[in-house]
Amino acid sequence: MTSEKFDVVVLGGGNAGIGVTGPVRRAGMSVAMIEADLLGGTCPNRGCTPKKVLVAAGHALHEIERASIHHIAIGKPKLDWAALIDREKDMIKDIPANLARAMAKRNVEVIKGHGAFTGPNTVRVGSRILEARQIVIATGSKPRPLPIPGAELMITSDEMLSERELPASVIFIGGGVIALEFGHVYARAGADVAILEALPQLLPAMDADAVARLQAESERIGIRLRTTVSVKRIEQANGRLRVVFSHDGAEHATEADRVVNGAGRIANVDTLDLSAGQVEHANGRVAIDGHLRSTSNPNVYVCGDAVPTSPQLSPIATYEGDIVGRNIVERAKYSPDYASMATSVYTVPPLASVGLTEAVARQKGFAIDVHVNDMLDWFSAKTYAETVAWSKVIVDRSTDRILGAHFVGHSGQELVNIFGLAMRFGITARQIRENVYAYPTFSSDIKHMLGHG
Ligand SMILES: Cc1cc2nc3c(=O)[nH]c(=O)nc-3n(C[C@H](O)[C@H](O)[C@H](O)COP(=O)(O)OP(=O)(O)OC[C@H]3O[C@@H](n4cnc5c(N)ncnc54)[C@H](O)[C@@H]3O)c2cc1C
Ligand SMILES: NC(=O)c1ccc[n+]([C@@H]2O[C@H](COP(=O)([O-])OP(=O)(O)OC[C@H]3O[C@@H](n4cnc5c(N)ncnc54)[C@H](O)[C@@H]3O)[C@@H](O)[C@H]2O)c1
C-alpha cells in the first residue's frame, strides 16, 4: 500500500490538535488532522461550552432565590430541563461545521476516522497510510475506569449533557470539578445530590480554605458530601442504583436514580498502538521531555489532555498545541510554563484559582504574606446579596509578586484573570493596589483584598 506524505499528522481535532495547526501552517508545512468524532473535541461539544449553558441556568436560579432581598416578589421557579438541554444542544450544534470551515481555510486536510501508529513515522486511518515527518498525539482524555463491580452502571458527563429528563437523585463518585459543577446545577434544579470523595478534601488540588467555603455553600443548597470514602460496588436496587462504600471503618449504602463517574479522566492513548510508533509509555502515560516530545521517538509530540502531567483544561490544551506547533517549526525550542494559568470551578457561585495554594507556597519555603478576606459585609457583596464572597491572595514577601490567588464568589472567575496577568508579567502587589479601577465593580475591591501594604 502506498503512503500519503505530510509534514505533520495530528491525531485528534480538539483544542490541542487545532492549536498545533496555526504555527505549522504559517510555516507552510502540509498538515493532516485525523478526527474520530466531532471536530472541536471535548470542550465545545461535550465539555466547557455546553456545561456552561447549564451552569448559566443554575446561576439564574440562584439570582431568583435571592430576589426577595431586592424586594422582588417571585413565585417558585420551574425549570424545564428538556428545554434547557435543547437550548444547550442548539447553542453548540454549528461548532464542528464552523471549525471544519476554519481548518479548510487554513489548508489543513481533516480526515474522519480513528488513527493509530503503524510505524515511527506512519499512521493508519481506515484504509489510508499517512507518512509524516512529525506526528502529534492530541487525542484528549476519557473518564477513568473504576475497577469496582457495577462500574458499567455509571454514566458520565456526556450523558448528563444529553439526557432530557432531570433525574430525581444523583450520586457522584469522586468529588472533583465535574461532580461539583454538575452537582450544583442539579441541586439547584431540584435533584437530590450526593458526592462521595476518596480523599479527605474535595477538589484536592485546590486551596483548602477556599474548598471549605465552597463545601459550606454546597451543603447550604442541600448537597450531601462525604470525603475519605472507599466505594466498594454499585448494584441495581428496585429500579434505582445503590452505591456501597466504606467510611470510618463501617460499611454504608446510598441509593439514587443515577450514579456518575466523577473520578477523573485519563489520557486517551490506549488504542494508538504506541509501541508500533516506538513511543515509550507506561500505564497509559506517554513519556515526554520538557518540550512535550516523546522521550523515545523525537518525531512525536503530545499535547492537551493526552499529556499525563499537566492540568486537563481547555486553554492549556490550546496553549500546549501552540507550543508543539512552534517546536515542530523551530525544533524543540519551547517548554510550557503553567505557573500563571487561571482556572475556575463553575459552581454557583464559582471557585476560581491561579498559582500556588497556601499549603504549597509554604511547602516550597516561600516567605509569604497571606491576605484572607471574608467579604460578605463589603458593600459590593451586600449590594448583590452574595451568599459567599471570599478571597485569599498569597504574596511573596521578598519580591512583592503574587504567588497565588483564590476566590469563592465575588466574580472570582473574572478577577482571577487579573491576578494571572499580574503573575505572568511580574506586576507586583503594590502595583495592583495602585491601579485605578472602575467603581463600583468587584475589581475595585482588589486593592482592599491585598490589604493596605
Ligand atoms: C464535562 C467537562 C467539562 C469541562 N469544562 C471545562 C471548563 O469549563 N474549562 C476548561 O478549561 N476545561 C474544561 N474541561 C476540560 C476540557 O474540555 C479539556 O481539557 C479539553 O477539551 C482538552 O482538549 P484536547 O484537545 O486535549 O482533547 P479533546 O478536546 O478531547 O480532543 C481530542 C480529540 O481526539 C479525538 N480522538 C481520540 N482518539 C483518536 C484517534 N485515535 N484518532 C482520531 N481522533 C481521535 C477525539 O474524538 C477528540 O475529538 C471540561 C471537560 C469535561 C469533560
Ligand atoms: N471548570 C473546568 O475547568 C472543568 C470542568 C470539568 C472538568 N474539567 C476537567 O476534567 C477533568 C475530569 O474532571 P473530574 O471532576 O472527573 O476529575 P477531577 O480530577 O477534578 O476529580 C476527580 C476526583 O475523584 C476522586 N476519586 C478518584 N477515584 C475515586 C474513587 N474511586 N472514589 C471516590 N473518589 C475518587 C479524586 O480524588 C478527585 O477528587 C478534570 O481534570 C478537570 O480538569 C475541568
Side-chain angles (χ1 to χ4, degrees):
M1 191 187 294
T2 55
S3 60
E4 302 167 57
K5 291 191 173 44
F6 290 90
D7 291 320
V8 182
V9 166
V10 184
L11 293 163
N15 280 64
I18 290 173
V20 177
T21 63
V24 293
R25 279 301 303 135
R26 279 196 293 279
M29 294 180 166
S30 59
V31 184
M33 171 184 279
I34 307 177
E35 172 51 57
D37 190 3
L38 294 176
L39 210 51
T42 305
C43 182
N45 297 304
R46 301 175 293 276
C48 334
T49 316
K51 177 274 309 284
K52 199 75 192 286
V53 178
L54 306 192
V55 170
H59 182 79
L61 288 169
H62 186 42
E63 295 293 325
I64 292 166
E65 177 197 337
R66 294 166 299 142
S68 64
I69 301 171
H70 305 287
H71 305 286
I72 303 169
I74 211 162
K76 189 173 161 28
K78 188 175 178 312
L79 170 58
D80 181 341
W81 189 262
L84 175 62
I85 295 292
D86 292 347
R87 167 173 144 82
E88 171 237 298
K89 296 289 182 208
D90 187 58
M91 284 189 62
I92 60 173
K93 68 176 189 311
D94 297 329
I95 293 175
N98 289 342
L99 289 172
R101 270 192 293 277
M103 288 300 101
K105 199 166 163 204
R106 210 174 260 186
N107 269 320
V108 173
E109 180 172 347
V110 177
I111 302 171
K112 181 106 186 142
H114 176 275
F117 286 91
T118 52
N121 284 86
T122 51
V123 163
R124 179 198 298 276
V125 51
S127 56
R128 297 167 72 174
I129 299 285
L130 314 184
E131 187 181 331
R133 292 199 291 141
Q134 308 280 336
I135 297 173
V136 180
I137 299 172
T139 48
S141 61
K142 59 184 178 185
R144 181 193 308 285
L146 291 184
I148 51 168
E152 71 285 356
L153 298 170
M154 289 186 294
I155 60 168
T156 68
S157 50
D158 288 358
E159 285 85 12
M160 283 191 288
L161 289 166
S162 297
E163 285 192 359
R164 294 178 80 253
E165 194 178 336
L166 178 72
S169 52
V170 185
I171 298 166
F172 290 88
I173 303 209
V177 194
I178 287 181
L180 279 153
E181 290 184 345
F182 283 92
H184 268 234
V185 175
Y186 274 25
R188 292 194 180 282
D192 180 64
V193 177
I195 297 178
L196 302 175
E197 164 60 43
L199 295 177
Q201 180 185 307
L202 301 169
L203 297 168
M206 294 291 186
D207 186 88
D209 292 333
V211 173
R213 291 299 187 294
L214 180 62
Q215 176 157 344
E217 184 66 3
S218 306
E219 286 171 334
R220 187 188 73 77
I221 63 168
I223 298 178
R224 288 176 294 120
L225 302 163
R226 287 266 196 135
T227 54
T228 331
V229 304
S230 172
V231 176
K232 300 294 177 201
R233 62 183 181 277
I234 305 165
E235 55 201 23
Q236 313 258 16
N238 313 317
R240 302 179 85 205
L241 296 170
R242 179 185 298 136
V243 178
V244 180
F245 61 97
S246 64
H247 177 70
D248 272 349
E251 193 162 282
H252 305 263
T254 179
E255 290 181 12
D257 294 334
R258 294 278 184 281
V259 178
V260 182
N261 183 347
R265 292 172 66 92
I266 56 166
N268 188 15
V269 293
D270 53 336
T271 61
L272 298 182
D273 204 349
L274 294 170
S275 301
Q278 293 175 15
V279 178
E280 189 185 350
H281 62 285
N283 304 319
R285 298 160 71 92
V286 176
I288 50 170
D289 65 16
H291 303 297
L292 301 173
R293 188 171 52 164
S294 159
T295 50
S296 55
N297 181 344
N299 298 325
V300 171
Y301 284 90
V302 190
C303 50
D305 279 12
V307 173
T309 46
S310 57
Q312 295 168 327
L313 296 172
S314 140
I316 289 187
T318 302
Y319 168 73
E320 289 177 341
D322 182 70
I323 285 185
V324 164
R326 290 191 287 139
N327 277 341
I328 288 172
V329 175
E330 297 179 58
R331 293 180 188 276
K333 195 166 154 190
Y334 301 100
S335 295
D337 174 5
Y338 305 106
S340 60
M341 302 279 172
T343 177
S344 183
V345 180
Y346 298 101
T347 43
V348 187
L351 181 157
S353 172
V354 62
L356 304 181
T357 64
E358 182 179 347
V360 172
R362 290 195 191 284
Q363 259 165 34
K364 286 181 180 277
F366 284 103
I368 53 177
D369 286 323
V370 181
H371 303 279
V372 178
N373 287 289
D374 188 337
M375 301 175 285
L376 267 185
D377 277 345
W378 293 16
F379 207 83
S380 45
K382 284 206 292 196
T383 302
Y384 284 91
E386 286 196 280
T387 51
V388 53
W390 182 89
S391 69
K392 177 189 279 188
V393 184
I394 301 155
V395 179
D396 182 350
R397 207 174 284 158
S398 63
T399 61
D400 200 35
R401 294 253 187 116
I402 308 295
L403 291 175
H406 310 275
F407 307 88
V408 186
H410 220 62
S411 286
Q413 77 279 22
E414 305 295 342
L415 303 189
V416 74
N417 291 310
I418 296 178
F419 284 89
L421 193 75
M423 287 177 69
R424 174 132 195 217
F425 296 105
I427 300 167
T428 62
R430 182 170 165 211
Q431 289 171 319
I432 295 174
R433 264 194 306 266
E434 280 174 1
N435 189 44
V436 178
Y437 299 87
Y439 181 84
T441 58
F442 291 107
S443 312
S444 63
D445 283 343
I446 284 180
K447 50 178 72 184
H448 307 297
M449 289 180 200
L450 278 163
H452 294 281

